[in-house]
């Protein structure tokens, strides 16, 4: 791997401490950082290099999956000595010039070619300002590569996403922009590609002839937490559906490419999102369910309703739950509903994909008054990482009655790299497979836009659901209309 400078905007923020420093540290310990590298942290405050380095060390001790004590102190010191701090006001051109001098002097000191990665761990309203300043200050003029990493949200709706992208494109080429969607860093989401594409038996049944429906759930037990300002303007539709849920849907529905390459996967994902049947604003209520949590009990603890949460207006109509029925208009998936569902303050934390297969043998045992259960393939993404297959068997402890049996492959392995480790490593070596590309982001916004407007204009009823439940009943009805039900815990 080539030497590089990692320029981190927002170096004193929460994400840097919890995720980015531990990820870099684990990459270093695993020998996955280049032999020469320089890390420059930026923030508004004045900080000495020593103080900054000890803050980084503290965050490793607190948040790294691998304790800082598990590494020799000389390795730890070598890692920390790569860090420098530079105070920067994102709007001040002069600060960027000084930053360029620091970046260059470190490159000279370490005798490194200039490859620069700019990581914007800051509020999204600063993305365009920073990108343009990088260009104008000369920070973006490198002998080698330059890359930009940003985190969602990429825009607030279709038009703001387009205008943000247009500004970013003035400073960076599309292939230099790495948009993190941390769901794409999760091991089971990355594994989907192999599970579905590299197994001929699964490929043979991965289509409308055998699949009855697909259910993608991301339920959470947490509420709005300390993010009222952001969340009340975003809602589940922007926070989870436009990005994570649609990305997981694309990864699930991919067609088999001739070869697995980053660009083939990107093309196949684009084809899926492009084939999503639009949900028109006037009919949104037929396919989309919107909910907001009321008070209730989660994991045995009483919790307030959304409207009682600090920082939330008592009249807020924000969605904390969304379920929807989607159709992919291509011959492979014709007639197969894809259901998505995400919500805060639900009964359990679970991110999973359930693929329900058609069941032509349902009535095979009717003479014995028994029916068979459909085969299910369950891919658990979080907090468990497991794949299980449900089939029918006989239970001889109860007179040989039919019983659904699960065969499961537990993918959980201790001390696996975290999502951020995998994603930062990929960005450093220039592999964009598991990042959100602009056309996917734009097409996702395009699909979501009429729903945003329908919510705004109150064309979709806002159902209340009790905290600790599985969401509003309307979301069960959505599946009942098609003769299905949510598989909660098969
Ligand atoms: C984030 C959302 O992107 O994903 C949060 O902003 C949500 O609201 C989180 O809680 C869920 O991520 P995970 O990895 O816990 O499923």
């Amino acid at each position: 791997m080539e030497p590089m400078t990692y320029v981190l905007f927002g170096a004193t923020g929460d994400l840097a401490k919890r995720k980015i420093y531990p990820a870099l540290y684990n990459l270093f310990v695993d020998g996955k950082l280049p032999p020469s590298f320089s890390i420059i942290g930026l923030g508004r405050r004045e900080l000495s290099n020593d103080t900054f380095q000890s803050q980084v060390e503290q965050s490793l001790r607190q948040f790294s999956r691998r304790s800082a004590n598990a590494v020799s102190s000389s390795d730890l010191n070598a890692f920390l000595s790569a860090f420098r701090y530079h105070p920067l006001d994102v709007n001040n051109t002069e600060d960027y010039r000084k930053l360029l001098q620091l970046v260059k002097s470190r490159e000279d000191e370490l005798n490194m070619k200039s490859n620069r990665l700019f990581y914007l761990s800051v509020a999204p309203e600063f993305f365009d300002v920073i990108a343009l300043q990088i260009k104008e200050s000369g920070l973006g003029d490198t002998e080698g590569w330059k890359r930009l990493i940003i985190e969602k949200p990429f825009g607030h709706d279709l038009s703001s996403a387009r205008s943000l992208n247009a500004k970013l494109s003035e400073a960076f080429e599309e292939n230099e922009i790495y948009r993190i969607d941390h769901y794409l860093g999760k091991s089971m989401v990355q594994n989907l590609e192999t599970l579905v594409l590299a197994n001929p038996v699964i490929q043979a049944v991965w289509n409308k002839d055998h699949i009855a429906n697909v259910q993608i759930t991301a339920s959470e037990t947490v509420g709005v937490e300390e993010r009222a300002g952001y969340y009340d303007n975003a809602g589940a539709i922007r926070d989870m559906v436009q990005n994570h849920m649609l990305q997981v849907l694309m990864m699930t529905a991919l067609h088999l490419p001739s070869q697995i390459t980053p660009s083939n996967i990107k093309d196949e994902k684009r084809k899926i999102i492009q084939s999503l049947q639009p949900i028109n604003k006037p009919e949104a209520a037929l396919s989309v369910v919107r909910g907001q949590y009321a008070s209730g009990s989660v994991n045995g603890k009483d919790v307030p309703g959304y409207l009682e949460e600090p920082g939330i207006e008592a009249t807020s109509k924000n969605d904390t739950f969304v379920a929807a029925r989607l159709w992919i208009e291509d011959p492979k998936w014709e007639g197969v509903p894809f259901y998505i569902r995400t919500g805060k303050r639900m009964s359990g934390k679970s991110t999973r994909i359930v693929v329900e297969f058609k069941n032509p043998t349902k009535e095979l045992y009717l003479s014995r008054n028994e029916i068979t259960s459909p085969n299910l393939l369950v891919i658990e993404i979080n907090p468990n990482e497991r794949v299980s297959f449900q089939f029918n068997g006989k239970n001889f402890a109860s007179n040989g009655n039919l019983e659904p049996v699960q065969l499961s492959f537990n993918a959980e392995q201790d001390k696996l790299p975290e999502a951020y480790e995998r994603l930062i490593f990929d960005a450093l070596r220039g592999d964009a497979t598991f990042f959100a590309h602009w056309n996917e982001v734009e097409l996702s916004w395009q699909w979501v836009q009429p729903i945003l407007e329908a919510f705004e204009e109150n064309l979709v009823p806002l159902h209340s659901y009790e905290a600790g439940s599985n969401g509003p009943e309307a979301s069960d009805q959505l599946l009942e209309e098609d003769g299905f039900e949510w598989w909660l815990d098969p």
Side-chain angles (χ1 to χ4, degrees):
M1 195 182 285
E2 290 182 284
M4 59 92 200
T5 302
Y6 190 103
V7 183
L8 177 60
F9 292 78
T12 55
D14 220 40
L15 183 73
K17 288 182 188 155
R18 285 173 183 272
K19 300 287 182 192
I20 300 175
Y21 299 139
L24 285 168
Y25 171 67
N26 285 313
L27 290 174
F28 174 75
V29 174
D30 289 340
K32 289 179 172 168
L33 289 187
S36 301
F37 63 95
S38 143
I39 302 176
I40 307 218
L42 309 166
R44 262 171 299 195
R45 274 177 263 167
E46 292 281 345
L47 279 185
S48 70
N49 287 328
D50 283 349
T51 313
F52 179 50
Q53 289 175 0
S54 60
Q55 284 183 359
V56 174
E57 179 175 353
Q58 225 172 326
S59 79
L60 304 181
R61 293 196 187 280
Q62 203 175 348
F63 299 112
S64 168
R65 67 181 165 88
R66 186 188 266 135
S67 126
N69 300 331
V71 178
S72 76
S73 59
S74 63
D75 279 351
L76 180 63
N77 290 337
F79 175 68
L80 292 173
S81 68
F83 285 75
R84 295 290 180 279
Y85 183 80
H86 181 74
L88 178 128
D89 167 353
V90 292
N91 290 306
N92 186 337
T93 308
E94 191 47 35
D95 284 358
Y96 288 85
R97 278 202 206 104
K98 289 188 195 144
L99 170 62
L100 177 59
Q101 283 161 18
L102 173 61
V103 169
K104 278 187 167 161
S105 77
R106 289 289 289 152
E107 285 166 349
D108 290 345
E109 210 175 311
L110 299 167
N111 198 14
M112 296 187 333
K113 178 172 158 192
S114 55
N115 291 306
R116 297 178 191 150
L117 183 138
F118 301 95
Y119 195 122
L120 311 196
S121 174
V122 295
E125 61 261 34
F126 300 123
F127 289 173
D128 51 353
V129 181
I130 296 177
L132 292 177
Q133 292 272 19
I134 288 172
K135 180 181 178 188
E136 269 148 36
S137 61
L139 273 159
D141 301 331
T142 56
E143 300 158 272
W145 49 257
K146 68 172 188 298
R147 292 178 192 141
L148 179 78
I149 302 191
I150 51 175
E151 294 253 352
K152 76 165 207 13
F154 315 121
H156 186 69
D157 53 17
L158 180 60
S159 75
S160 59
R162 281 184 174 150
S163 78
L164 168 63
N165 197 61
K167 287 182 189 149
L168 295 182
S169 315
E170 287 175 33
F172 290 88
E173 302 290 329
E174 170 61 14
N175 65 8
E176 295 173 329
I177 304 177
Y178 289 71
R179 298 175 192 83
I180 288 196
D181 180 309
H182 80 280
Y183 269 52
L184 291 177
K186 290 182 188 283
S187 50
M188 284 310 282
V189 176
Q190 297 202 345
N191 211 350
L192 259 180
E193 166 207 287
T194 312
L195 191 73
V196 175
L197 302 180
N199 289 301
V201 170
I202 296 196
Q203 261 304 297
V205 294
W206 211 247
N207 54 51
K208 65 172 194 302
D209 297 336
H210 297 280
I211 293 181
N213 71 79
V214 177
Q215 307 179 7
I216 303 174
T217 295
S219 67
E220 299 187 83
T221 51
V222 295
V224 62
E225 300 180 287
E226 274 84 49
R227 304 157 76 212
Y230 153 75
Y231 193 81
D232 204 39
N233 284 308
I237 185 84
R238 292 182 175 89
D239 189 46
M240 297 290 292
V241 175
Q242 184 274 333
N243 34 72
H244 307 323
M245 305 301 285
L246 291 180
Q247 285 287 345
V248 173
L249 181 138
M250 287 180 240
M251 294 299 295
T252 309
L254 281 184
H255 288 214
L256 183 68
S258 55
Q259 272 293 309
I260 303 291
T261 63
S263 85
N264 284 352
I265 296 287
K266 180 174 113 181
D267 286 351
E268 294 301 334
K269 280 172 70 187
R270 183 189 34 78
K271 286 185 203 157
I272 298 295
I273 187 87
Q274 221 161 16
S275 321
L276 270 192
Q277 189 180 83
I279 291 186
N280 297 323
K281 186 165 75 173
E283 289 106 46
L286 300 177
S287 313
V288 182
V289 173
R290 170 167 75 138
Q292 189 184 76
Y293 63 84
S295 60
S297 163
V298 179
N299 295 333
K301 201 175 146 244
D302 288 345
V303 295
Y306 182 69
L307 299 180
E308 287 104 55
E309 297 274 18
I312 303 293
E313 288 282 328
T315 53
S316 171
K317 289 199 161 291
N318 192 31
D319 47 297
T320 64
F321 175 98
V322 172
R325 174 177 39 223
L326 295 82
W327 302 98
I328 300 172
E329 291 179 323
D330 77 18
K332 181 180 169 105
W333 294 116
E334 197 188 333
V336 180
F338 281 69
Y339 303 106
I340 56 174
R341 175 178 61 152
T342 182
K344 300 260 184 217
R345 286 289 190 228
M346 297 195 33
S347 62
K349 166 84 184 165
S350 172
T351 308
R352 54 160 59 192
I353 305 164
V354 180
V355 178
E356 177 178 334
F357 290 92
K358 290 188 171 166
N359 189 8
T361 61
K362 187 171 176 187
E363 300 185 347
L364 197 61
Y365 289 80
L366 217 51
S367 60
R368 286 171 31 174
N369 283 333
E370 291 190 86
I371 51 165
T372 60
S373 301
N375 288 149
L376 301 178
L377 182 74
V378 182
I379 300 160
E380 292 179 63
I381 296 169
N382 192 16
N384 303 321
E385 293 172 330
R386 187 164 38 206
V387 184
S388 60
F389 186 71
Q390 173 178 288
F391 54 96
N392 289 291
K394 281 184 180 173
N395 183 345
F396 291 101
S398 67
N399 287 336
N401 287 344
L402 291 183
E403 198 177 78
V405 188
Q406 268 94 36
L407 181 74
S408 79
F409 151 64
N410 200 329
E412 274 165 87
Q413 290 161 31
D414 261 358
K415 303 207 165 27
L416 274 185
E418 288 186 0
Y420 275 86
E421 260 171 86
R422 272 193 282 270
L423 294 173
I424 291 174
F425 180 57
D426 285 352
L428 289 176
R429 51 188 187 139
D431 181 341
T433 310
F434 294 110
F435 290 83
H437 308 97
W438 167 243
N439 48 27
E440 292 151 24
V441 174
E442 184 180 34
L443 289 161
S444 302
W445 275 120
Q446 203 163 310
W447 185 83
V448 156
Q449 185 65 33
I451 305 176
L452 296 180
E453 290 168 17
F455 283 8
E456 210 123 291
E457 294 169 33
N458 264 319
L459 301 176
V460 177
L462 180 65
H463 300 277
S464 175
Y465 62 98
E466 196 182 336
S469 70
N470 289 316
E473 273 170 26
S475 107
D476 300 324
Q477 283 153 15
L478 189 69
L479 272 68
E480 279 161 24
E481 285 166 15
D482 306 328
F484 300 124
E485 58 186 298
W486 290 107
W487 289 99
L488 295 175
D489 200 12

